[in-house]
C-alpha cells in the first residue's frame, strides 16, 4: 500500500473500502474489530510514512498519550514541559495523585535544565511549539542528551505536523498526535496516533490499544484519512495567514506581545527556523487591559469562532487562561488557531473586534 490508497489494480477504488464490521468470518487475518481494521491500516500507513515510522491509531489524542504513559513501570519519573498541553499535565498529575507516576515539570526551551531533570527519569516528554506559549524546544539536543542517560523521548507533534517537523528524524523515539487537530483538519473527528521506529514500542502500543480498547471508529478513521489528503495545502494557506496576522498584531497599539516563532522577536525563532520547515499556523497574543479586554475581543469577533481546539479550516479564538490547569498563563493571553479564510477577512474581523473593544472601554 502507498499513501493509504489500497490495491494498485485496474478497477480498484481510489479510496480504501471502509469495513463497518465488528465481526469477521473465522480463519482470516483479522479475528475481531478491536484488533484491527483495513481503514486503520490505510490511515496508519499514511501517517507513518509522513512521520517516517510505523503508526498506531487511537480513539483520541489523550488515548494515544495515555497508551504511551501506560508502558512505563509504576512510579516512573516523567519530565514534562510546565506549559505542555493541559490534558497531558492533568493526566500526569492524576497519576501522581494515585502514586503511579512522578511528573517533573520543566522549561522545555532550556535544554540544560531539562536534561538535569532527566537524571533517573523513565521518559522525557517534549512538545514544540508548546501550547499556548509557543516555546520552542531543541528536539535534537534533547534527544541526544536524554539518549546518553538512557531516557526515551516522546514528542507531541500536534502543533507542527509532519509537514513542518519530523521528530523521529531529529532523534525522538516516539511521536504522538492529536489527529483531531491538523491531520483530520475539519473539526469533525476526535482521534489520536502514536508513531515510532522501534519494534518494542510498536508492539507494546498495539497491545495497549487492544487491551484498553481505545480504538478509532472506522468512519472516523476514514474522515481522518480524507483530511490528511489536503494537509499540506491547508497548512500552507493557514501558515501564510498566521504569519501575516502575527506581523500586523505585533504593531497594533492594543497588543502588548505576540508569540509566533516566525517573528524575529521570538526567543526560539532561530531554532525554529533550523528545526521546522515553516512556523505553523498557531499564535498567541496579549492585549493591554488583561482579562476583561481579552474576553471582549473574543466576544466581538464575527468570522473567527470563539472556542477551544485548533487545526481546523476555520479560525478559532479563545482566552486561554479561563481553563482549569491554565492558571499560570497571562490572563489576557488570546490563542489563535489560524484557518484558511481570506487573510483580509480575518484581519478586518480581528482589527474590528479590537477597535470595538477599545471604544467600549473608553465609554
Ligand atoms: C488537543 C491536544 C491533545 C489531546 O488530543 P485529543 O484528540 O483532544 O484527545 C494533545 N496534545 C496537544 C498539543 C493538543 O493540542
Amino acid at each position: 500500500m502507498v499513501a493509504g490508497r489500497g490495491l494498485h489494480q485496474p478497477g480498484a477504488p481510489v479510496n480504501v473500502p471502509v469495513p463497518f464490521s465488528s465481526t469477521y468470518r473465522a480463519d482470516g487475518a483479522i479475528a475481531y474489530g478491536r484488533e484491527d481494521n483495513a481503514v486503520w491500516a490505510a490511515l496508519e500507513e499514511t501517517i507513518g510514512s509522513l512521520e517516517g515510522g510505523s503508526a498506531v491509531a487511537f480513539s483520541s489524542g489523550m488515548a494515544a498519550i495515555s497508551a504511551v504513559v501506560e508502558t512505563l513501570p509504576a512510579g516512573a519519573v516523567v519530565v514534562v514541559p510546565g506549559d505542555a498541553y493541559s490534558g497531558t499535565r492533568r493526566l500526569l498529575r492524576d497519576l501522581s495523585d494515585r502514586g503511579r507516576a512522578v511528573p517533573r515539570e520543566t522549561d522545555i526551551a532550556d535544554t540544560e535544565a531539562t536534561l538535569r531533570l532527566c537524571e533517573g527519569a523513565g521518559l522525557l516528554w517534549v512538545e514544540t511549539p508548546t501550547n499556548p506559549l509557543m516555546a520552542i524546544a531543541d528536539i535534537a539536543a534533547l534527544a541526544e542528551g536524554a539518549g546518553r542517560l538512557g531516557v526515551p523521548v516522546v514528542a507531541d507533534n500536534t502543533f507542527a505536523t509532519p509537514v513542518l517537523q519530523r521528530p523521529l528524524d531529529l532523534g525522538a523515539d516516539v511521536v504522538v498526535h492529536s489527529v483531531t487537530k491538523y491531520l483530520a483538519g475539519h473539526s469533525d473527528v476526535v482521534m489520536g496516533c502514536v508513531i515510532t521506529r522501534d519494534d518494542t514500542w510498536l508492539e507494546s502500543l498495539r497491545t495497549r490499544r487492544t487491551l484498553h480498547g481505545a480504538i478509532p471508529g472506522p468512519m472516523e478513521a476514514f474522515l481522518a484519512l480524507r483530511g490528511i489528503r489536503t494537509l499540506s495545502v491547508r497548512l500552507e494557506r493557514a501558515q501564510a495567514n498566521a504569519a501575516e496576522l502575527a506581523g500586523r498584531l505585533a504593531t497594533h497599539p492594543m497588543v502588548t506581545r505576540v508569540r509566533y516563532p516566525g517573528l524575529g522577536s521570538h526567543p526560539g525563532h532561530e531554532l525554529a527556523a533550523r528545526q521546522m520547515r515553516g512556523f505553523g499556523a498557531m499564535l498567541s497574543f496579549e492585549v493591554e487591559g488583561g482579562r476583561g479586554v481579552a474576553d471582549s475581543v473574543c466576544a466581538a469577533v464575527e468570522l473567527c469562532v470563539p472556542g477551544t481546539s485548533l487545526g481546523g479550516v476555520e479560525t478559532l479564538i479563545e482566552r486561554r487562561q479561563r481553563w482549569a490547569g491554565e492558571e499560570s498563563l497571562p490572563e489576557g493571553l488570546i490563542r489563535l488557531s489560524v484557518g484558511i479564510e481570506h487573510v483580509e477577512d480575518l484581519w478586518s474581523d480581528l482589527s474590528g473586534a479590537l477597535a470595538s473593544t477599545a471604544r467600549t472601554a473608553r465609554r
Side-chain angles (χ1 to χ4, degrees), residues 60-62 65 85 131 156 158 178 180-181 190-191 310:
S60 67
M62 285 311 298
I65 290 169
Y85 174 67
N131 177 7
D156 185 332
T158 300
S178 170
T180 314
K181 313 294 169 52
V190 175
M191 196 182 296
L310 58 113

Side-chain angles (χ1 to χ4, degrees), residues 23-42:
T23 309
Y24 293 80
R25 286 180 176 275
D27 306 323
I30 302 178
Y32 181 57
R34 187 159 26 79
E35 293 171 4
D36 209 349
N37 185 299
V39 71
W40 302 353

Side-chain angles (χ1 to χ4, degrees), residues 229-312:
R229 303 266 178 237
T230 55
L231 171 64
S232 71
V233 184
R234 284 186 279 111
L235 203 58
E236 206 175 290
R237 171 64 167 266
Q239 176 172 261
N241 285 352
E244 186 61 33
L245 295 181
R248 294 189 193 183
L249 284 168
T251 58
H252 194 283
M254 285 174 70
V255 174
T256 53
R257 180 166 181 185
V258 179
R259 298 170 198 256
Y260 181 65
L263 293 176
S265 58
H266 188 288
H269 174 69
E270 277 168 32
L271 171 58
R274 256 187 288 131
Q275 179 166 273
M276 304 173 75
R277 267 163 296 198
F279 302 107
M282 295 299 300
L283 65 91
S284 55
F285 64 100
E286 286 160 59
V287 285
E288 191 104 50
R291 176 182 177 151
V293 172
D295 277 337
S296 304
V297 171
C298 295
V301 291
E302 287 175 1
L303 176 62
C304 299
V305 179
T308 199
S309 193
L310 58 113

Side-chain angles (χ1 to χ4, degrees), residues 76-316:
V77 169
V78 180
V79 179
V80 60
D83 58 340
Y85 174 67
S86 58
T88 307
R89 283 182 290 120
R90 282 167 61 202
L91 171 73
L92 290 170
R93 281 191 202 141
D94 176 68
L95 290 168
S96 162
D97 289 345
R98 293 181 293 122
R100 306 241 185 126
V102 182
R104 279 185 196 154
E105 296 199 352
T106 184
D107 171 4
I108 199 73
D110 186 339
T111 302
E112 275 173 33
T114 300
L115 290 176
R116 271 196 300 275
L117 292 175
C118 283
E119 206 74 54
L123 203 63
L124 168 58
W125 198 271
V126 177
E127 194 179 298
T128 180
T130 58
N131 177 7
L133 291 177
M134 306 301 298
I136 304 294
D138 189 336
I139 301 174
L142 288 167
E144 212 239 323
R148 259 188 275 118
L149 297 168
V151 178
V153 174
V154 179
D156 185 332
N157 206 28
T158 300
F159 267 38
T161 84
V163 175
L164 303 181
Q165 173 172 283
R166 298 223 309 176
L168 298 179
D169 288 347
L170 298 169
D173 300 278
V174 176
V175 169
V176 300
H177 273 283
S178 170
V179 175
T180 314
K181 313 294 169 52
Y182 286 101
L183 296 185
H186 295 75
S187 307
D188 53 8
V189 168
V190 175
M191 196 182 296
C193 196
V194 184
I195 308 98
T196 181
R197 291 175 183 166
D198 181 307
D199 288 341
T200 312
W201 270 105
L202 190 64
E203 193 48 45
S204 172
L205 290 161
R206 287 202 178 121
T207 303
R208 271 341 93 212
R209 179 175 67 185
T210 303
L211 294 183
H212 295 191
I215 58 165
M219 187 68 198
E220 283 73 11
F222 172 77
L223 287 172
L225 182 57
R226 184 168 75 167
I228 290 172
R229 303 266 178 237
T230 55
L231 171 64
S232 71
V233 184
R234 284 186 279 111
L235 203 58
E236 206 175 290
R237 171 64 167 266
Q239 176 172 261
N241 285 352
E244 186 61 33
L245 295 181
R248 294 189 193 183
L249 284 168
T251 58
H252 194 283
M254 285 174 70
V255 174
T256 53
R257 180 166 181 185
V258 179
R259 298 170 198 256
Y260 181 65
L263 293 176
S265 58
H266 188 288
H269 174 69
E270 277 168 32
L271 171 58
R274 256 187 288 131
Q275 179 166 273
M276 304 173 75
R277 267 163 296 198
F279 302 107
M282 295 299 300
L283 65 91
S284 55
F285 64 100
E286 286 160 59
V287 285
E288 191 104 50
R291 176 182 177 151
V293 172
D295 277 337
S296 304
V297 171
C298 295
V301 291
E302 287 175 1
L303 176 62
C304 299
V305 179
T308 199
S309 193
L310 58 113
V313 292
E314 66 288 329
T315 297
L316 286 175

